[in-house]
Structure formats: structure tokens, C-alpha cells
Amino acid sequence: MAVPLRLIDSHTEGEPTRVVVDGGPHLDGATMLERREELRRDWDFLRTAITAEPRASEGTVAAFLTEPVSADAAAGVVFANRAGYLGMCGHGALGVMRTLLHLGRINATNERFALDTPAGPIYATLFDDGSIEIQNVTARAFRLDVPVQVPGTGEIVGDIAYGGNWFFLVDAARAPLPEIAAGNVSRLTSLALEICAALQAHGITGEDGARIDHIEFFGKARLLNANAKNFVLCPDGSYDRSPCGTGTSAKMAVLAARGRLRAGEPWLQESITGTLFTGRMERCADGIVPFIRGRAYVTGETALFFDTGDPFRYGISAQELRGRDS
Ligand code: PYC
């Protein structure tokens, strides 16, 4: 690519987002789903270049900005990580809003902005105290108390819910989980990967056979005001450093289905890194409308160059490394 790709780097409560602000592909599908397919089909090398090593750290989410598809939206956005494309991304949406503010593309506080995503429109409000709240897509509990046999561990019971992505949610009060603590990240990751594999092996899915690719564990909060602390395994095998916007949405859908969270009542979700999202929800016909509030910070401006002599100019993929072995 002759033109460098320009990114704004940010993190939302610890989890990184890289917004492509210049030099990215022009996507002209009529819907955000079509635009996501266009990215996957024609521009996937940009996803890996932005989210994989040697340029990116684990967990990095890329946000490709597009023209809006709906009349009142500020922009469209497709989220992706080093494993593929996401329906929605809560921390990423907060990062996009902070980035648009940094660029001067939006400037009003206390005003609602719409963003089009492949999962549907979401709405964001920037507050004077620097925090940002998104109104996420509708979240819903799909199946509660689902047992799964996990080789080497035994039966684990969890709930299946949608919050913009599909989650299997497991509470430490009902399952033998390691303590949700930074020192246990590798044990939590291994167990979550095993549960993910067991769900697939047993054909346990979300609605219409949707693959459950996020596993979320809950334990006792450390922060005094928080309701619970979570650990979220993302589809790329990394863990979310933030409390996960779509995961917090899925959690509130489960709590609402169990009658344990009332409309408007705050749900304070602590992350494995000790950061916090403040959630709340309203009920709607198909589930709940989740609201997630947190903070994002711009950390850098980056230009990516693509040296044709660089074998890793589009990122180091596991597949590429395997090819080098043969
Ligand atoms: O905040 O929704 C989220 C998210 C999904 C994957 C990483 N973060």
C-alpha cells in the first residue's frame, strides 16, 4: 500500500482499540453487514496488520470507520480482532467516541450520537466528567442453567446470553472457578478455552446455531462499590482488560431474566484489571436495552507502513508460522 494507514490508539478501561482514521478501504455495501463481508473478503490483510503481532498487543480491537448507513448516525463502524470480526464491541465503541472527539469530528457533550454497527445502531453520549455512555443493541438471555461436561473438570453450569456477541456466563458461586484475580489469568484462560471447546463439541450454541465465542466468569468484587468482578475470554484467545461492554450487557440480561436487576438500577462491573463499567438497563419486548458507561483515553497516533520486503507486514498469523515450519 502506497499510502500509510493512519490509526488513533486508545484504551477503554485497559482494553486497546485502534481506529482507522485515514487510508482505510472505502466500503460501499448498503448495510453494515455487507460492509463487514466486504472487509472480510477484500481487506482482511488490514485486520491482521492492525491487530496481530508485531504491531499490536494481545486483545487489540480494530475499528474500521465507514460512512453511516442510517440517516441520523455520526459514522458506521466494523470491529475486528486478530481472530476475525465482531458483531459489536462495547469497549471499542467507547474508544471510537473518544477518538472522534480527539479528532474534532464530534464536539458536543450531553448529546446523543448514533453509530451504525453490524449488530445494529448504538447510541453514545459524552459527559462533562469525561465518561462516555453507550446504549447498546438489545441484549437477551437465551438459555439459563445449561450444563456442559468439560473434560478434566466435570460439569460446569452456565447461562447463554447475547449482548452484541454470544456469551456463556459462569458464576463462581455455582462452579469451581479459580479466584478472579490477575495472578490467575493463565488458569482462567485455560478453563475458559476448555469450556469453549466443550460447548462446540456438544453442539451448545446461541440462537439459530450461533457460535458462543465469549466465555465470562464472575466472582467476588474487590472494588468496594462493584457488584461483581469478571474475566472474559475473547474469540482471539485473549482476555478483556476492560469489564467488556457486550459481556456486561449479556450479564444484565441474565440478571433481568432471573429477576435480580430492576430497570434503572446500576450494575457496577469490575474487570480482572480492577477497572469499572457502570451498567443499567431498561426492559424491552425482546429482552433489555443495556447502557454501559466508562472511560476511554487516547494513547497515540500511528502510521502503518507496508514494506514489501517485510514478511510480516500483514501481521504474524499462526497459519503463517505453521507454513514456515513445513
Ligand atoms: O467490550 O464488548 C466489548 C468487547 C468485546 C471483545 C472485547 N471487548
Side-chain angles (χ1 to χ4, degrees), residues 15 59 61 81 86 88-92 165 167 214 234-235 240 242-247 277:
E15 184 76 345
V61 164
N81 62 22
L86 294 161
M88 226 307 275
C89 180
H91 93 266
N165 295 299
F167 287 81
H214 289 72
C234 299
D240 199 330
S242 85
C244 192
T246 52
F277 277 161

Side-chain angles (χ1 to χ4, degrees), residues 124-170:
T125 308
L126 309 159
F127 292 105
D128 290 334
D129 67 358
S131 67
I132 303 169
E133 183 180 73
I134 56 157
Q135 176 186 320
N136 193 7
V137 296
T138 302
R140 57 192 184 277
F142 175 54
R143 289 177 61 199
L144 300 180
D145 302 321
V146 179
V148 58
Q149 285 301 327
V150 182
T153 298
E155 183 178 276
I156 296 276
V157 178
D159 304 315
I160 301 174
Y162 179 78
N165 295 299
W166 281 99
F167 287 81
F168 189 72
L169 303 97
V170 182

Side-chain angles (χ1 to χ4, degrees), residues 92-301:
L94 296 181
V96 166
M97 293 309 292
R98 172 61 58 219
T99 295
L100 294 177
L101 187 69
H102 171 81
L103 293 172
R105 294 192 193 173
I106 53 172
N107 49 33
T109 48
N110 302 311
E111 196 180 307
R112 243 163 72 105
F113 295 93
L115 281 180
D116 290 320
T117 79
I122 63 156
Y123 302 88
T125 308
L126 309 159
F127 292 105
D128 290 334
D129 67 358
S131 67
I132 303 169
E133 183 180 73
I134 56 157
Q135 176 186 320
N136 193 7
V137 296
T138 302
R140 57 192 184 277
F142 175 54
R143 289 177 61 199
L144 300 180
D145 302 321
V146 179
V148 58
Q149 285 301 327
V150 182
T153 298
E155 183 178 276
I156 296 276
V157 178
D159 304 315
I160 301 174
Y162 179 78
N165 295 299
W166 281 99
F167 287 81
F168 189 72
L169 303 97
V170 182
D171 202 304
R174 296 193 302 158
L177 298 180
E179 188 194 347
I180 313 291
N184 281 337
V185 158
S186 36
R187 289 176 64 206
L188 291 160
T189 301
S190 304
L191 180 60
L193 286 169
E194 281 162 21
I195 294 174
C196 204
L199 291 172
Q200 272 169 51
H202 291 94
I204 300 171
T205 67
E207 230 162 18
D208 299 327
R211 185 170 167 191
I212 299 170
D213 55 7
H214 289 72
I215 308 294
E216 186 165 11
F217 296 147
F218 294 88
K220 213 169 148 336
R222 278 289 177 87
L223 294 175
L224 279 184
N225 56 348
N227 294 96
K229 183 166 182 166
N230 72 3
F231 168 90
V232 181
L233 179 80
C234 299
D236 63 354
S238 70
Y239 67 95
D240 199 330
R241 275 69 172 167
S242 85
C244 192
T246 52
T248 302
S249 301
K251 176 66 174 176
M252 290 193 294
V254 167
L255 290 166
R258 291 186 182 282
R260 285 172 44 202
L261 187 67
R262 289 192 305 275
E265 192 182 344
W267 176 263
L268 276 71
Q269 184 62 65
E270 181 181 351
S271 73
I272 183 84
T273 61
T275 55
L276 196 68
F277 277 161
T278 301
R280 65 187 168 89
M281 62 90 191
E282 301 297 336
R283 288 187 183 270
C284 65
D286 326 332
I288 63 156
V289 180
F291 296 82
I292 304 291
R293 187 164 174 169
R295 286 169 187 273
Y297 306 88
V298 168
T299 54
E301 298 186 352

